[in-house]
Amino acid sequence: MAINLTDLTLQAETLTKEFIETASLHTGQILVIGCSTSEILGHQIGSYSSEETGQALFNAIYHTANSYGVFLAAQCCEHLNRAIIIEETVAKEKQLEPVNVVPYPKAGGSFATAAYRTFVSPVAVESIQADAGMDIGGTLIGMHLKPVAVPVRLSSGFLGNAHILCARTRPKYIGGERAHYNK
């Protein structure tokens, strides 16, 4: 299936907005994105990285998240041990220790590369405990979510040719039969 970059960008904006609203994310929360441009373009993950696609998708998702006050974290590919690219201010606020690596399309992935090139002051960290996540193309973001993840279904399970899996997190339920919980 041929991919039109303008259509793909609009689809990314729409799905990101739907996800943020459905997951009830709010200002100051962190959304981690793992994105395979290869899968989006109909190829096997890691085999057909596209800087143009990565930058276009990053811009769409980043601007949508920013409009809600949600911080974006971009997961690198396995060649960088799935490190996370975030703004330095977020790393400081969350007391995350930066590591020294710069992503590139074949070592980090096109989406993470776009994040590094676009953020005001980007840093890489080894891990994060995000409030929600969007896995585009089987990138395995679960390691970067808080412990209790809840699936979020969107109106479309695809972005381009890539499957999308989304999750939000919630606090752990503790107590027993007499415990009461917030919604």
Side-chain angles (χ1 to χ4, degrees), residues 45-111:
I45 193 169
S47 68
Y48 198 83
S49 190
S50 167
E51 288 186 66
E52 181 183 30
T53 302
Q55 188 67 59
L57 289 174
F58 177 81
N59 291 344
I61 294 169
Y62 180 55
H63 293 300
T64 304
N66 275 348
S67 73
Y68 286 87
V70 172
F71 296 122
L72 192 60
Q75 178 183 273
C76 295
C77 70
E78 65 180 308
H79 297 99
L80 296 187
N81 297 330
R82 293 188 173 81
I84 296 290
I85 306 302
I86 57 174
E87 287 283 10
E88 184 179 32
T89 55
V90 177
K92 286 180 180 178
E93 179 183 315
K94 304 294 182 182
Q95 299 181 347
L96 301 170
E97 185 68 29
V99 294
N100 190 3
V101 70
V102 176
Y104 285 91
K106 294 291 185 183
S110 293
F111 189 85

Coordinates of all heavy atoms in Angstrom, one line a residue, residues 45-111:
I45 N 10.1 -4.5 10.5 CA 10.7 -3.6 11.5 C 12.2 -3.6 11.3 O 12.9 -4.6 11.2 CB 10.3 -3.9 12.9 CG1 10.6 -2.8 13.9 CG2 10.8 -5.2 13.4 CD1 10.0 -2.9 15.3
G46 N 12.8 -2.4 11.3 CA 14.3 -2.2 11.2 C 14.9 -2.4 9.8 O 16.1 -2.3 9.7
S47 N 14.1 -2.6 8.8 CA 14.6 -2.9 7.5 C 14.5 -1.7 6.5 O 15.1 -1.8 5.4 CB 13.9 -4.1 6.9 OG 12.6 -3.8 6.6
Y48 N 13.7 -0.7 6.8 CA 13.4 0.4 5.8 C 13.2 1.7 6.5 O 12.1 2.3 6.3 CB 12.2 -0.1 5.0 CG 12.0 0.6 3.7 CD1 12.7 0.2 2.5 CD2 11.1 1.7 3.5 CE1 12.5 0.8 1.3 CE2 11.0 2.3 2.3 CZ 11.7 1.9 1.2 OH 11.5 2.5 0.0
S49 N 14.1 2.1 7.3 CA 14.0 3.3 8.1 C 13.8 4.5 7.2 O 14.5 4.7 6.2 CB 15.2 3.5 9.0 OG 14.9 4.5 9.9
S50 N 12.9 5.4 7.5 CA 12.7 6.6 6.7 C 12.7 7.9 7.5 O 11.8 8.1 8.4 CB 11.3 6.5 6.0 OG 10.9 7.8 5.4
E51 N 13.8 8.7 7.3 CA 13.9 9.9 8.1 C 12.8 10.9 7.8 O 12.3 11.5 8.7 CB 15.3 10.6 7.8 CG 16.5 9.9 8.3 CD 17.7 10.6 8.1 OE1 17.9 11.7 8.7 OE2 18.6 10.1 7.4
E52 N 12.3 11.0 6.6 CA 11.2 11.9 6.2 C 10.0 11.5 6.9 O 9.2 12.3 7.5 CB 11.0 11.8 4.7 CG 9.9 12.7 4.2 CD 9.7 12.7 2.7 OE1 9.9 11.6 2.1 OE2 9.2 13.7 2.2
T53 N 9.7 10.2 7.0 CA 8.5 9.7 7.6 C 8.6 9.9 9.1 O 7.7 10.4 9.8 CB 8.2 8.2 7.3 OG1 8.1 8.0 5.9 CG2 7.0 7.7 8.0
G54 N 9.8 9.6 9.7 CA 10.0 9.8 11.1 C 9.8 11.2 11.6 O 9.2 11.5 12.6
Q55 N 10.3 12.2 10.8 CA 10.2 13.6 11.1 C 8.8 14.0 11.0 O 8.3 14.8 11.9 CB 11.1 14.4 10.2 CG 11.2 15.9 10.6 CD 11.9 16.1 12.0 OE1 13.1 15.7 12.1 NE2 11.2 16.7 12.9
A56 N 8.1 13.6 10.0 CA 6.7 14.1 9.8 C 5.8 13.5 10.9 O 5.0 14.3 11.5 CB 6.2 13.6 8.4
L57 N 6.0 12.3 11.3 CA 5.2 11.7 12.3 C 5.5 12.3 13.7 O 4.7 12.6 14.5 CB 5.4 10.2 12.4 CG 4.7 9.4 11.3 CD1 5.1 8.0 11.4 CD2 3.2 9.6 11.3
F58 N 6.8 12.5 13.9 CA 7.2 13.1 15.2 C 6.6 14.5 15.3 O 6.0 14.8 16.3 CB 8.8 13.3 15.3 CG 9.2 14.0 16.6 CD1 9.2 13.3 17.8 CD2 9.4 15.3 16.6 CE1 9.5 14.0 19.0 CE2 9.7 16.0 17.7 CZ 9.7 15.3 18.9
N59 N 6.7 15.3 14.3 CA 6.1 16.7 14.3 C 4.6 16.6 14.6 O 4.2 17.4 15.5 CB 6.3 17.4 13.0 CG 7.8 17.8 12.7 OD1 8.6 17.8 13.6 ND2 8.1 18.1 11.5
A60 N 3.9 15.7 14.0 CA 2.5 15.6 14.2 C 2.2 15.2 15.6 O 1.3 15.8 16.3 CB 1.9 14.6 13.2
I61 N 2.8 14.2 16.1 CA 2.6 13.7 17.5 C 3.0 14.7 18.5 O 2.3 15.0 19.5 CB 3.2 12.3 17.7 CG1 2.5 11.3 16.7 CG2 3.1 11.8 19.1 CD1 3.2 9.9 16.6
Y62 N 4.2 15.3 18.3 CA 4.8 16.2 19.3 C 3.9 17.5 19.4 O 3.6 17.9 20.5 CB 6.2 16.6 18.8 CG 6.9 17.6 19.6 CD1 7.2 17.4 20.9 CD2 7.5 18.8 19.0 CE1 8.0 18.3 21.7 CE2 8.2 19.6 19.8 CZ 8.5 19.4 21.1 OH 9.2 20.3 21.8
H63 N 3.5 18.0 18.3 CA 2.6 19.2 18.4 C 1.3 18.9 19.0 O 0.7 19.7 19.8 CB 2.5 19.9 17.0 CG 3.8 20.4 16.5 ND1 4.5 21.4 17.2 CD2 4.5 20.2 15.5 CE1 5.6 21.7 16.6 NE2 5.7 20.9 15.5
T64 N 0.7 17.7 18.7 CA -0.6 17.4 19.3 C -0.4 17.2 20.8 O -1.2 17.7 21.6 CB -1.1 16.1 18.7 OG1 -1.2 16.3 17.3 CG2 -2.5 15.7 19.3
A65 N 0.6 16.5 21.3 CA 0.9 16.3 22.7 C 1.1 17.6 23.4 O 0.5 17.8 24.5 CB 2.1 15.3 22.9
N66 N 1.9 18.5 22.8 CA 2.2 19.8 23.4 C 0.9 20.6 23.6 O 0.8 21.3 24.5 CB 3.1 20.6 22.5 CG 4.6 20.3 22.8 OD1 4.9 19.6 23.8 ND2 5.4 20.7 21.9
S67 N -0.1 20.5 22.6 CA -1.3 21.2 22.7 C -2.1 20.8 24.0 O -3.0 21.6 24.4 CB -2.1 21.1 21.5 OG -2.7 19.8 21.3
Y68 N -1.8 19.6 24.5 CA -2.5 19.1 25.7 C -1.6 19.3 26.9 O -2.0 18.9 28.0 CB -2.9 17.7 25.6 CG -4.1 17.4 24.7 CD1 -3.9 17.3 23.3 CD2 -5.4 17.3 25.2 CE1 -4.9 17.0 22.4 CE2 -6.4 17.1 24.3 CZ -6.2 17.0 23.0 OH -7.3 16.7 22.1
G69 N -0.4 19.8 26.8 CA 0.5 19.9 27.9 C 1.2 18.6 28.3 O 1.7 18.5 29.4
V70 N 1.1 17.6 27.4 CA 1.7 16.3 27.7 C 3.1 16.2 27.1 O 3.4 16.7 26.0 CB 0.8 15.2 27.0 CG1 1.4 13.8 27.1 CG2 -0.6 15.2 27.6
F71 N 4.0 15.7 28.0 CA 5.4 15.6 27.5 C 5.6 14.4 26.7 O 5.0 13.3 27.0 CB 6.3 15.5 28.7 CG 6.4 16.7 29.6 CD1 6.0 16.6 31.0 CD2 6.7 17.9 29.1 CE1 6.1 17.7 31.8 CE2 6.7 19.0 29.9 CZ 6.4 18.9 31.3
L72 N 6.4 14.5 25.6 CA 6.6 13.4 24.7 C 8.0 12.8 25.0 O 9.0 13.5 25.2 CB 6.6 13.8 23.3 CG 6.5 12.8 22.2 CD1 5.3 11.9 22.4 CD2 6.5 13.4 20.8
A73 N 8.1 11.4 25.0 CA 9.3 10.7 25.2 C 9.4 9.7 24.0 O 8.4 9.0 23.7 CB 9.3 9.9 26.5
A74 N 10.5 9.7 23.3 CA 10.7 8.9 22.1 C 11.6 7.7 22.4 O 12.7 7.9 22.8 CB 11.2 9.8 20.9
Q75 N 11.1 6.5 22.2 CA 11.9 5.3 22.4 C 12.8 5.1 21.2 O 12.3 5.1 20.1 CB 11.0 4.1 22.7 CG 11.8 2.8 22.9 CD 10.9 1.7 23.0 OE1 10.5 1.4 24.1 NE2 10.6 1.0 22.0
C76 N 14.1 4.8 21.5 CA 15.0 4.4 20.5 C 14.8 2.9 20.2 O 14.2 2.2 20.9 CB 16.4 4.6 20.9 SG 16.9 6.3 21.2
C77 N 15.4 2.5 19.1 CA 15.3 1.0 18.7 C 16.3 0.2 19.6 O 17.0 0.7 20.4 CB 15.6 0.8 17.2 SG 17.3 1.1 16.8
E78 N 16.2 -1.1 19.4 CA 17.0 -2.0 20.2 C 18.5 -1.8 20.1 O 19.3 -2.1 21.0 CB 16.7 -3.5 19.8 CG 17.1 -3.8 18.3 CD 16.8 -5.2 18.0 OE1 17.2 -6.1 18.7 OE2 16.1 -5.4 16.9
H79 N 19.0 -1.2 19.0 CA 20.4 -0.9 18.8 C 21.0 0.1 19.9 O 22.2 0.1 20.1 CB 20.8 -0.4 17.4 CG 20.4 -1.5 16.4 ND1 19.2 -1.4 15.7 CD2 21.1 -2.6 16.0 CE1 19.2 -2.5 14.9 NE2 20.3 -3.2 15.1
L80 N 20.1 0.9 20.5 CA 20.4 1.7 21.6 C 19.7 1.3 22.9 O 19.5 2.1 23.7 CB 20.1 3.2 21.2 CG 20.8 3.8 20.1 CD1 20.5 5.3 20.0 CD2 22.3 3.6 20.2
N81 N 19.5 0.0 22.9 CA 18.9 -0.6 24.1 C 17.6 0.0 24.5 O 17.2 0.1 25.7 CB 19.9 -0.6 25.3 CG 21.1 -1.4 25.1 OD1 21.0 -2.4 24.3 ND2 22.2 -1.0 25.6
R82 N 16.8 0.5 23.5 CA 15.5 1.2 23.7 C 15.6 2.4 24.7 O 14.7 2.6 25.5 CB 14.5 0.2 24.2 CG 14.2 -0.8 23.0 CD 13.0 -1.7 23.3 NE 12.6 -2.5 22.2 CZ 13.2 -3.6 21.8 NH1 14.3 -4.1 22.4 NH2 12.8 -4.3 20.7
A83 N 16.7 3.1 24.6 CA 16.9 4.3 25.4 C 15.8 5.3 25.0 O 15.1 5.1 24.0 CB 18.3 5.0 25.1
I84 N 15.6 6.3 25.8 CA 14.5 7.3 25.6 C 15.1 8.7 25.4 O 16.0 9.1 26.1 CB 13.6 7.4 26.9 CG1 12.9 6.0 27.2 CG2 12.6 8.5 26.9 CD1 11.8 5.7 26.2
I85 N 14.5 9.4 24.4 CA 14.9 10.7 24.1 C 13.8 11.7 24.7 O 12.7 11.5 24.3 CB 15.1 11.0 22.6 CG1 16.1 10.0 22.0 CG2 15.5 12.4 22.3 CD1 17.5 10.0 22.6
I86 N 14.2 12.6 25.5 CA 13.3 13.5 26.1 C 13.9 14.9 26.2 O 15.1 15.0 26.0 CB 12.8 13.1 27.6 CG1 14.0 12.9 28.5 CG2 12.0 11.8 27.5 CD1 13.7 12.6 29.9
E87 N 13.1 15.9 26.6 CA 13.6 17.2 26.8 C 14.4 17.2 28.1 O 14.0 16.5 29.1 CB 12.5 18.2 27.0 CG 11.8 18.6 25.7 CD 12.6 19.5 24.8 OE1 13.8 19.8 25.1 OE2 12.0 20.0 23.8
E88 N 15.5 17.9 28.2 CA 16.4 18.0 29.4 C 15.6 18.4 30.6 O 15.8 18.0 31.7 CB 17.5 18.9 29.1 CG 18.5 19.0 30.3 CD 19.7 19.9 30.0 OE1 19.5 20.9 29.2 OE2 20.8 19.6 30.5
T89 N 14.6 19.4 30.4 CA 13.8 19.9 31.5 C 13.0 18.8 32.2 O 12.8 18.7 33.4 CB 12.9 21.0 31.1 OG1 12.1 20.6 30.0 CG2 13.7 22.3 30.7
V90 N 12.5 17.8 31.3 CA 11.7 16.7 31.9 C 12.6 15.8 32.6 O 12.3 15.3 33.7 CB 11.0 16.0 30.7 CG1 10.2 14.7 31.3 CG2 10.0 16.9 30.0
A91 N 13.8 15.5 32.1 CA 14.8 14.6 32.8 C 15.1 15.2 34.2 O 15.2 14.5 35.1 CB 16.0 14.5 31.9
K92 N 15.4 16.5 34.2 CA 15.7 17.1 35.5 C 14.5 17.1 36.5 O 14.7 16.7 37.6 CB 16.1 18.6 35.3 CG 17.5 18.7 34.7 CD 17.9 20.2 34.5 CE 19.3 20.2 33.9 NZ 19.7 21.6 33.7
E93 N 13.3 17.4 36.0 CA 12.1 17.3 36.8 C 11.8 16.0 37.4 O 11.4 15.8 38.5 CB 10.9 17.8 36.0 CG 9.6 17.8 36.8 CD 8.4 18.2 35.9 OE1 8.5 19.2 35.1 OE2 7.4 17.5 36.0
K94 N 12.1 14.9 36.6 CA 11.8 13.6 37.0 C 13.0 12.9 37.6 O 13.0 11.7 37.9 CB 11.3 12.7 35.8 CG 10.1 13.3 35.1 CD 8.8 13.3 36.0 CE 7.6 13.8 35.2 NZ 6.4 13.8 36.0
Q95 N 14.1 13.6 37.7 CA 15.4 13.2 38.3 C 15.9 11.9 37.6 O 16.3 10.9 38.2 CB 15.2 12.9 39.8 CG 14.8 14.1 40.6 CD 14.7 13.9 42.1 OE1 14.6 12.8 42.5 NE2 14.6 15.0 42.8
L96 N 15.9 12.0 36.2 CA 16.5 11.0 35.4 C 17.9 11.3 35.0 O 18.2 12.4 34.6 CB 15.6 10.8 34.2 CG 14.1 10.5 34.4 CD1 13.3 10.6 33.2 CD2 14.0 9.1 35.1
E97 N 18.8 10.3 35.1 CA 20.2 10.5 34.8 C 20.4 10.4 33.3 O 20.1 9.3 32.7 CB 21.0 9.4 35.5 CG 22.5 9.6 35.3 CD 23.0 10.8 36.0 OE1 22.5 11.3 37.0 OE2 24.0 11.3 35.5
P98 N 20.9 11.4 32.6 CA 21.2 11.3 31.2 C 22.3 10.3 30.9 O 23.2 10.1 31.7 CB 21.6 12.7 30.8 CG 21.0 13.6 31.9 CD 21.1 12.8 33.1
V99 N 22.3 9.7 29.7 CA 23.3 8.9 29.2 C 23.8 9.6 27.9 O 23.1 10.4 27.3 CB 22.9 7.4 28.9 CG1 22.5 6.8 30.2 CG2 21.7 7.4 28.0
N100 N 25.0 9.2 27.5 CA 25.7 9.8 26.3 C 25.5 9.0 25.1 O 26.2 8.0 24.8 CB 27.1 10.1 26.6 CG 27.8 11.0 25.5 OD1 27.1 11.4 24.6 ND2 29.1 11.2 25.7
V101 N 24.5 9.3 24.3 CA 24.3 8.7 23.0 C 23.4 9.6 22.1 O 22.6 10.3 22.7 CB 23.6 7.3 23.1 CG1 22.1 7.4 23.6 CG2 23.7 6.5 21.9
V102 N 23.6 9.6 20.8 CA 22.8 10.4 19.9 C 22.2 9.4 18.9 O 23.0 8.6 18.2 CB 23.7 11.4 19.2 CG1 22.9 12.1 18.1 CG2 24.3 12.4 20.1
P103 N 20.9 9.4 18.8 CA 20.3 8.4 17.8 C 20.5 8.8 16.4 O 20.5 10.0 16.1 CB 18.8 8.5 18.2 CG 18.6 9.8 18.8 CD 19.9 10.2 19.5
Y104 N 20.5 7.9 15.5 CA 20.5 8.0 14.1 C 19.6 7.0 13.5 O 19.2 6.0 14.2 CB 22.0 7.8 13.5 CG 22.9 9.0 13.8 CD1 23.6 9.1 15.0 CD2 22.9 10.1 12.9 CE1 24.4 10.2 15.2 CE2 23.7 11.2 13.2 CZ 24.5 11.2 14.4 OH 25.2 12.3 14.6
P105 N 19.1 7.2 12.3 CA 18.1 6.3 11.7 C 18.4 4.8 11.8 O 17.5 4.0 12.1 CB 18.0 6.7 10.2 CG 18.3 8.2 10.3 CD 19.4 8.3 11.3
K106 N 19.7 4.4 11.6 CA 20.0 2.9 11.7 C 20.5 2.5 13.1 O 20.8 1.4 13.3 CB 21.0 2.6 10.7 CG 20.5 2.7 9.3 CD 19.4 1.6 9.0 CE 19.0 1.7 7.5 NZ 17.9 0.7 7.3
A107 N 20.6 3.5 14.0 CA 21.0 3.2 15.4 C 20.2 4.1 16.3 O 20.7 5.2 16.8 CB 22.5 3.3 15.6
G108 N 19.0 3.8 16.6 CA 18.1 4.6 17.4 C 16.7 4.8 16.7 O 15.7 4.8 17.4
G109 N 16.7 4.8 15.4 CA 15.5 4.9 14.7 C 15.1 6.3 14.2 O 15.6 7.3 14.8
S110 N 14.4 6.4 13.1 CA 14.0 7.7 12.5 C 13.2 8.5 13.4 O 13.3 9.8 13.4 CB 13.3 7.5 11.2 OG 14.3 6.9 10.3
F111 N 12.3 8.0 14.2 CA 11.4 8.7 15.1 C 12.2 9.4 16.2 O 12.1 10.5 16.5 CB 10.3 7.9 15.6 CG 9.2 8.6 16.4 CD1 8.2 9.3 15.7 CD2 9.2 8.8 17.7 CE1 7.2 10.0 16.3 CE2 8.3 9.5 18.4 CZ 7.2 10.1 17.7

